[in-house]
């Protein structure tokens, strides 16, 4: 047998193993949504007009040009926004699923969830829009990945999926953004969603240009709301566009083979990029953990090119431009809260 023939046989064997492994992973079932623990608490819901004034004051400390209005929500399903329904109205809810302790220090791969089933159980009958940030369905990609979630569920449980995964690929460790098909409704490990009926109605519209302070866009809003409302827990969710400038974002590498115990080890494992706008970021923020071990802020972004990932902060203060559409949530639903927790890996 020639060397060429031996190499061909080895290659074919490897290919069959990879295909078999990918098929096995893709067939992995999500946990039964009815067997998970659901906890629910009300959130303090200030009037949008009050929040308008609060956010105008907050953001002016951090940006040179700030405009905050209460306005009718534009059609967020238009291509310039990219969501899977037109608005952020109707039973506005924050939903947190799993948590960082299922990823760190060692991954718990059994924590695979069905977003559709969990949203349906949390919201009851009717149509649903769910947008937010979490860990992507690793069986779909056969590797760990970021999830940028953006899907609508009809009253008849039909899915329109505008979600993406972002993963690390190739020897150069590039970012690869890929759409998630309508047939895939799983996520892994952790997820923060803003969930509503996708109805039109009033929202907070925010425009900010030229950052003069040190806080990132979301951190500035969250800390300012905490300063104003103190013990009252306030939550927002929706979409922001990074229209101009660049952002420091990460994409997770494949699951670490060794435990990760510190922020330093975590940052060595993550792959960081400076990603150019336009970025479409979806997610949530909340002012307190509310005795539910909540993640206080979490936004992931997608683009019309190859870029997507976890938003940290912008890197171009002189040219940065944000445009945001947020609604205030009336409740938080906490699902499958980790029994043993820690506080790192939540930036």
């Amino acid at each position: 047998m020639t060397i060429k023939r031996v190499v061909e046989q080895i290659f074919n064997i490897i290919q069959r193993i990879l295909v078999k492994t990918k098929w096995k992973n893709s067939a992995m079932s999500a946990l039964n949504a009815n067997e998970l623990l659901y906890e629910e608490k009300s959130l303090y819901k200030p009037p949008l007009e009050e929040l308008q004034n609060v956010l105008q004051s907050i953001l002016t400390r951090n940006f040179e040009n700030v405009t905050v209005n209460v306005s009718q929500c534009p059609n967020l399903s238009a291509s310039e926004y990219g969501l899977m329904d037109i608005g952020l109205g109707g039973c506005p809810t924050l939903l947190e699923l799993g948590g960082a302790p299922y990823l760190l220090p060692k991954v718990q791969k059994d924590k695979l969830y069905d977003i559709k089933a969990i949203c349906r159980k949390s919201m009851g009958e009717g149509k649903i829009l769910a947008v937010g940030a979490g860990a992507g369905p690793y069986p779909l990609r056969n590797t760990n990945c970021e999830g940028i979630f953006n899907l609508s569920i009809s009253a008849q449980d039909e899915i329109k999926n505008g979600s993406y995964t972002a993963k690390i690929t190739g020897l150069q460790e590039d970012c690869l953004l890929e759409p998630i098909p309508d047939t895939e409704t799983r996520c892994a490990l952790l997820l923060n969603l803003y969930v509503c009926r996708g109805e039109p109605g009033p929202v907070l519209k925010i425009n900010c240009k030229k950052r003069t302070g040190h806080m990132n866009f979301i951190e500035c809003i969250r800390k300012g709301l905490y300063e104003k409302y103190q013990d009252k827990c306030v939550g927002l969710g929706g979409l922001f566009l990074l229209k101009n400038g660049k952002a420091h974002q990460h994409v997770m590498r494949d699951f670490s083979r060794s435990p990760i115990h510190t922020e330093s080890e975590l940052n060595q494992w993550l792959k960081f990029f400076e990603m150019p706008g336009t970025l479409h970021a979806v997610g949530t923020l909340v002012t307190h953990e509310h005795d539910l071990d909540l993640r206080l802020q979490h936004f992931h972004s997608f683009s019309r090119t190859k870029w997507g990932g976890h938003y940290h902060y912008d890197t171009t203060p002189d040219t940065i431009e944000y445009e945001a559409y947020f609604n205030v949530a009336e409740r938080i639903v906490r699902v499958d809260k980790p029994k043993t927790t820690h506080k790192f890996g939540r930036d």
Side-chain angles (χ1 to χ4, degrees), residues 133-137 141 143-149 164-168 176-178 180 190 250-253 269-271 298 300-301 308-310:
R141 305 301 184 209
T143 186
N144 187 29
C145 54
E146 304 288 345
I148 306 99
F149 294 100
Y164 292 88
T165 60
K167 69 178 184 179
I168 298 301
L176 178 62
L177 185 71
E178 298 176 285
I180 297 177
L190 56 94
H250 81 241
V251 177
M252 294 185 291
R253 291 181 168 97
W269 170 62
L270 298 172
K271 176 69 174 177
H298 200 188
H300 284 184
S301 74
H310 175 109

Side-chain angles (χ1 to χ4, degrees), residues 175-279:
C175 174
L176 178 62
L177 185 71
E178 298 176 285
I180 297 177
D182 291 347
T183 53
E184 177 62 83
T185 60
R186 294 173 297 178
C187 73
L189 307 171
L190 56 94
L191 178 63
N192 293 90
L193 287 178
Y194 174 79
V195 188
C196 64
R197 299 297 182 193
E199 296 172 353
V203 293
L204 291 162
K205 179 182 179 181
I206 303 171
N207 293 93
C208 294
K209 295 181 181 180
K210 194 171 183 180
R211 180 170 54 80
T212 55
H214 298 292
M215 287 187 287
N216 70 53
F217 179 60
I218 298 300
E219 179 186 28
C220 181
I221 293 172
R222 180 179 60 80
K223 289 185 174 180
L225 290 175
Y226 174 78
E227 179 183 313
K228 168 66 177 179
Y229 294 107
Q230 297 291 311
D231 293 338
K232 298 174 181 177
C233 190
V234 178
L236 302 180
L239 163 78
F240 75 79
L241 305 178
L242 192 150
K243 299 181 73 173
N244 194 40
K246 297 179 180 180
H248 184 70
Q249 302 205 144
H250 81 241
V251 177
M252 294 185 291
R253 291 181 168 97
D254 201 4
F255 298 119
S256 176
R257 295 182 180 180
S258 57
I260 296 173
H261 292 286
T262 66
E263 290 284 352
S264 176
E265 291 173 350
L266 174 62
N267 288 333
Q268 290 177 11
W269 170 62
L270 298 172
K271 176 69 174 177
F272 290 93
F273 298 89
E274 189 177 50
M275 300 188 184
T278 299
L279 300 173

Side-chain angles (χ1 to χ4, degrees), residues 302-315:
F302 65 91
S303 70
R304 300 307 185 189
T305 57
K306 69 174 186 178
W307 298 112
H310 175 109
Y311 169 82
H312 286 274
Y313 51 83
D314 67 76
T315 59

Side-chain angles (χ1 to χ4, degrees), residues 43-324:
L43 296 171
Y44 181 62
K45 190 179 180 184
L48 290 178
E49 290 75 15
E50 179 179 309
L51 285 171
Q52 173 188 358
N53 295 327
V54 173
L55 293 180
Q56 181 74 43
S57 175
I58 290 167
L59 288 163
T60 301
R61 304 176 199 169
N62 210 56
F63 294 89
E64 186 172 294
N65 301 301
V66 177
T67 304
V68 182
N69 292 310
V70 176
S71 61
Q72 288 297 309
C73 191
N75 181 357
L76 295 179
S77 67
S79 60
E80 62 187 297
Y81 306 111
L83 298 192
M84 299 310 292
D85 211 333
I86 62 173
L88 299 175
C91 304
T93 298
L94 302 188
L95 191 156
E96 179 157 354
L97 177 57
Y102 293 153
L103 173 64
L104 309 168
K106 295 184 69 174
V107 64
Q108 299 180 38
K109 288 189 175 182
D110 62 309
K111 295 299 183 178
L112 194 62
Y113 303 105
D114 184 343
I115 298 173
K116 173 184 169 183
I118 290 170
C119 285
R120 178 59 69 204
K121 185 172 177 64
S122 300
M123 297 291 285
E125 297 179 354
K127 69 170 186 168
I128 298 169
L129 172 67
V131 296
Y138 70 86
L140 177 67
R141 305 301 184 209
N142 205 35
T143 186
N144 187 29
C145 54
E146 304 288 345
I148 306 99
F149 294 100
N150 170 26
L151 65 156
S152 66
I153 307 169
S154 74
Q156 294 75 37
D157 278 344
E158 296 170 343
I159 300 294
K160 288 171 55 182
N161 209 336
S163 306
Y164 292 88
T165 60
K167 69 178 184 179
I168 298 301
T169 185
L171 295 177
Q172 300 300 316
E173 292 198 303
D174 203 0
C175 174
L176 178 62
L177 185 71
E178 298 176 285
I180 297 177
D182 291 347
T183 53
E184 177 62 83
T185 60
R186 294 173 297 178
C187 73
L189 307 171
L190 56 94
L191 178 63
N192 293 90
L193 287 178
Y194 174 79
V195 188
C196 64
R197 299 297 182 193
E199 296 172 353
V203 293
L204 291 162
K205 179 182 179 181
I206 303 171
N207 293 93
C208 294
K209 295 181 181 180
K210 194 171 183 180
R211 180 170 54 80
T212 55
H214 298 292
M215 287 187 287
N216 70 53
F217 179 60
I218 298 300
E219 179 186 28
C220 181
I221 293 172
R222 180 179 60 80
K223 289 185 174 180
L225 290 175
Y226 174 78
E227 179 183 313
K228 168 66 177 179
Y229 294 107
Q230 297 291 311
D231 293 338
K232 298 174 181 177
C233 190
V234 178
L236 302 180
L239 163 78
F240 75 79
L241 305 178
L242 192 150
K243 299 181 73 173
N244 194 40
K246 297 179 180 180
H248 184 70
Q249 302 205 144
H250 81 241
V251 177
M252 294 185 291
R253 291 181 168 97
D254 201 4
F255 298 119
S256 176
R257 295 182 180 180
S258 57
I260 296 173
H261 292 286
T262 66
E263 290 284 352
S264 176
E265 291 173 350
L266 174 62
N267 288 333
Q268 290 177 11
W269 170 62
L270 298 172
K271 176 69 174 177
F272 290 93
F273 298 89
E274 189 177 50
M275 300 188 184
T278 299
L279 300 173
H280 306 240
V282 286
T284 66
L285 67 92
V286 66
T287 57
H288 293 277
E289 291 190 23
H290 217 17
D291 295 323
L292 291 172
D293 192 29
L294 300 178
R295 188 166 188 157
L296 298 183
Q297 61 187 62
H298 200 188
F299 279 78
H300 284 184
S301 74
F302 65 91
S303 70
R304 300 307 185 189
T305 57
K306 69 174 186 178
W307 298 112
H310 175 109
Y311 169 82
H312 286 274
Y313 51 83
D314 67 76
T315 59
T316 53
D318 290 339
T319 60
I320 196 64
E321 180 179 355
Y322 292 99
E323 179 177 321

